[in-house]
Amino acid sequence: MSTTSPVSQAAPASAAEAQGETGMQTETGTGRVKQTETGTGPGKQTETEKEAGDERLRRWRLVLGGEDADGTGCALSGVDASMDGALTALYGNGRGGTGRSPDNRTGGRSAGLGASAPSVARWLGDIRTYFPSSVVQVMQRDAIDRLGLSTLLLEPEMLEAVEADVHLVGTLLSLNKAMPETTKETARAVVRRVVDDLEKRLATRTRSTLTGALDRSAKVSRPRHRDIDWDRTIRANLKNYLPEFHTVVPERLIGYGRASQSVKKDVVLCIDQSGSMAASVVYASVFGAVLASMRSIATRLVVFDTAVVDLTDQLDDPVDVLFGTQLGGGTDINRALAYCQSQITRPADTVVVLISDLYEGGIRDEMLKRVAAMKASGVQFVALLALSDEGTPAYDREHAAALGALGAPAFACTPDLFPDVMAAAIEKRPLPIPDMVTHQ
């Protein structure tokens, strides 16, 4: 985890560099260039250059924390001083902190928000004042991880003060069993808010992408005019091209399958609920609810650690699904896949999506045999190392390579890419694997 404060992204390479970098000021209207110079000799600076240098020093001062050795010599006041206080409380520089580093050893940079809920609530209010929402979410996550503030989230007042995001939901789910009844209602409201936002962002595109894939996967030989797939029709009739008329005679028409109420595909989402997969569990639950809302897809959602739980009957409400999970514990992928395999009745029309970092605690060879057997029966098998915005996570590379050798590439997938992955699986096309993919 990074120990760099959020203002670091705009800082120069060094404080000395910041003092030496320059700029230029222009004056329009007279066609002249105006330079207000300061200092003497060859190193003279324009006024704009000096302002740019001061801004860089200010940013470095916020990053480095104001120790005597930070080299900036920059003093802060007003809002900048308040921002510095909020950053110091979390990322620390020895002032106002606990005197200990996050791993509880003395020395080094330290931080502290105090043990009381009021002080943390004030800090949460401060960071929302001084930083944009995306930075606030990062700082909250760092506060929970670095300073051990998870237990304070068991208090309703704290939950109402935080900026809700996917990672906060994951933390709340991990605390679910320890959460007092007085807090659960507030926690569900926080989770509901995040889930609703995700559904609004993801649902429309997911439904439209998969509906098109379902329709295209069913070829019709005598389609109505509005259902003709002209691209496939032209390709199939190129041999009937008439040069003198510059046209193709469509001897055989190919059309999209018309939407119907019947189930066309079965989708099984098999989700690892170990602690490292928290964000993936949240996104998978939302996608599970979206898929379950489509009548042409029969969706099953299974979560597992060393035990297997089928949450399909709760798919109409992803919040119920999430509170039915239990983050943490071991992993038995083989047992989970055995259950999923037992639920498959139409292999050629089934897509199984395993979402796991592949750290198997069960029987590795049996797991691979099950995957091979499912693929041999016609099942489209997809292995996602994560379903989140964070890129490629830590995962078992040996197992990922073994799945790749079976023709089941393992890769991390962002929520925005997931509809395209599912569409390709439904149409039995090559999966749109990102460039960062490691095993296929």
Side-chain angles (χ1 to χ4, degrees), residues 30-81:
T30 61
R32 293 178 297 150
V33 176
K34 177 182 178 181
Q35 294 186 339
T36 305
E37 298 180 345
T38 60
T40 59
K44 290 189 287 187
Q45 289 183 317
T46 67
E47 188 173 306
T48 302
E49 290 169 348
K50 183 177 184 302
E51 291 175 358
D54 290 344
E55 174 62 15
R56 293 187 181 91
L57 286 176
R58 167 186 169 272
R59 289 174 178 267
W60 267 114
R61 166 61 184 81
L62 288 169
V63 170
L64 297 174
E67 291 284 2
D68 293 339
D70 74 7
T72 63
C74 180
L76 301 177
S77 61
V79 172
D80 285 347

Side-chain angles (χ1 to χ4, degrees), residues 259-402:
S260 68
Q261 303 302 316
S262 62
V263 173
K264 296 179 180 178
K265 293 289 181 179
D266 297 336
V267 173
V268 180
L269 299 178
C270 186
I271 310 168
D272 183 345
Q273 61 176 350
S274 57
S276 60
M277 302 297 294
S280 298
V281 171
V282 176
Y283 279 117
S285 299
V286 171
F287 277 118
V290 173
L291 295 177
S293 70
M294 300 177 65
R295 295 184 180 181
S296 53
I297 296 179
T299 306
R300 182 173 295 277
L301 189 143
V302 176
V303 298
F304 67 93
D305 41 37
T306 53
V308 180
V309 180
D310 193 326
L311 297 176
T312 303
D313 60 349
Q314 299 178 35
L315 269 176
D316 59 330
D317 189 345
V319 175
D320 286 342
V321 169
L322 289 171
F323 277 93
T325 63
Q326 183 175 341
L327 293 177
T331 307
D332 193 337
I333 303 173
N334 177 55
R335 176 178 290 186
L337 291 181
Y339 176 80
C340 294
Q341 190 177 23
S342 71
Q343 302 300 306
I344 296 173
T345 58
R346 304 189 307 155
D349 293 313
T350 299
V351 178
V352 173
V353 182
L354 171 65
I355 303 173
S356 173
D357 54 17
L358 302 180
Y359 287 109
E360 171 65 311
I363 307 173
R364 174 185 183 272
D365 291 341
E366 288 296 317
M367 174 190 76
L368 296 175
K369 286 180 181 178
R370 291 191 189 282
V371 174
M374 282 190 276
K375 287 187 63 63
S377 68
V379 171
Q380 294 296 107
F381 190 91
V382 180
L384 301 182
L385 302 170
L387 178 56
S388 66
D389 296 300
E390 275 73 42
T392 304
Y395 63 96
D396 190 305
R397 294 178 179 273
E398 183 180 350
H399 289 166

Side-chain angles (χ1 to χ4, degrees), residues 15-29:
E17 175 189 335
Q19 290 173 305
E21 290 187 3
T22 61
M24 177 176 286
Q25 179 183 30
T26 61
E27 180 179 78
T28 58

Side-chain angles (χ1 to χ4, degrees), residues 106-252:
T106 57
R109 291 170 65 88
S110 60
L113 296 176
S116 67
S119 66
V120 178
R122 284 195 298 273
W123 179 79
L124 288 169
D126 287 345
I127 63 174
R128 285 201 304 274
T129 299
Y130 304 130
F131 302 100
S133 177
S134 59
V135 173
V136 169
Q137 292 172 6
V138 172
M139 294 179 73
Q140 285 180 171
R141 200 181 317 158
D142 286 351
I144 291 169
D145 293 341
R146 289 166 56 84
L147 304 180
L149 300 183
S150 297
T151 54
L152 289 177
L153 294 177
L154 300 180
E155 302 182 26
E157 313 81 57
M158 288 297 301
L159 284 178
E160 292 171 356
V162 295
E163 188 88 16
D165 68 343
V166 169
H167 298 281
L168 177 66
V169 170
T171 301
L172 291 178
L173 296 179
S174 68
L175 297 171
N176 186 25
K177 302 303 179 184
M179 195 175 291
E181 291 299 323
T182 54
T183 306
K184 285 189 175 181
E185 184 176 347
T186 305
R188 286 185 71 91
V190 171
V191 173
R192 173 75 63 190
R193 189 161 68 247
V194 174
V195 166
D196 287 348
D197 287 343
L198 291 177
E199 280 196 288
K200 289 177 184 176
R201 176 164 73 90
L202 302 171
T204 300
R205 180 169 177 270
T206 299
R207 291 192 186 100
S208 62
T209 300
L210 296 190
T211 297
L214 289 165
D215 288 346
R216 287 190 297 273
S217 67
K219 295 182 180 180
V220 177
S221 59
R222 298 182 63 183
R224 297 183 182 184
H225 184 271
R226 66 174 177 269
D227 295 329
I228 295 174
D229 183 337
W230 287 109
D231 183 64
R232 288 180 177 174
T233 296
I234 291 172
R235 291 175 183 273
N237 291 279
L238 284 176
K239 63 180 180 181
N240 299 321
Y241 178 66
L242 301 178
E244 62 273 25
F245 296 105
H246 302 288
T247 190
V248 171
V249 177
E251 186 178 69
R252 182 167 65 93

